[in-house]
Amino acid sequence: MNGGQTVFAEKRIARFARQLMTTAPVPMRLQLWNGLAYDLGPAPAVTVKVKEPAAVKALVTADFSDLGEAFIREQIDVEGPIVEAMRAADALVHGARPGAATWTRLR
């Protein structure tokens, strides 16, 4: 990504973080590749490290599949207990897309 695209990605994340904080707080902190950090809720239980601007799309589209793909491609990293990471991902998806599917417990 060039400098203009990187700035665009930073602005997109900042706007997304403000929106979630005011409409549907998520217990997550986003830490960007450049050191900037955004809390998506008042008490972040996990930190998602966004390693590159290309991962921004997965976060702002808030889709379980895109988030998983970004993790597998090592575009993002997650710090914190796995249970809290799953809760935060669920809250992120539902905060950005209220009609999205919900995780279900497998037996």
Side-chain angles (χ1 to χ4, degrees):
M1 272 191 165
N2 66 33
Q5 291 172 318
T6 300
V7 170
F8 176 75
E10 290 171 6
K11 288 181 179 180
R12 194 169 180 196
I13 282 285
R15 187 171 52 248
F16 180 68
R18 281 192 307 272
Q19 174 192 357
L20 283 176
M21 272 296 282
T22 58
T23 61
V26 175
M28 179 187 294
R29 171 175 292 133
L30 295 179
Q31 185 174 348
L32 304 186
W33 59 92
N34 60 7
L36 289 175
Y38 297 95
D39 289 352
L40 303 184
V46 296
T47 297
V48 173
K49 292 189 173 189
V50 183
K51 296 179 178 182
E52 57 188 71
V56 169
K57 181 183 177 202
L59 293 163
V60 299
T61 58
D63 177 81
F64 288 121
S65 179
D66 290 345
L67 291 169
E69 186 102 6
F71 182 77
I72 290 168
R73 289 184 176 171
E74 297 184 358
Q75 294 176 321
I76 62 173
D77 196 15
V78 180
E79 293 182 354
I82 188 69
V83 171
E84 294 301 325
M86 297 301 283
R87 286 184 184 140
D90 192 58
L92 175 68
V93 169
H94 289 94
R97 298 175 42 226
T102 303
W103 289 103
T104 58
R105 184 176 182 165
L106 300 177
R107 293 178 185 219

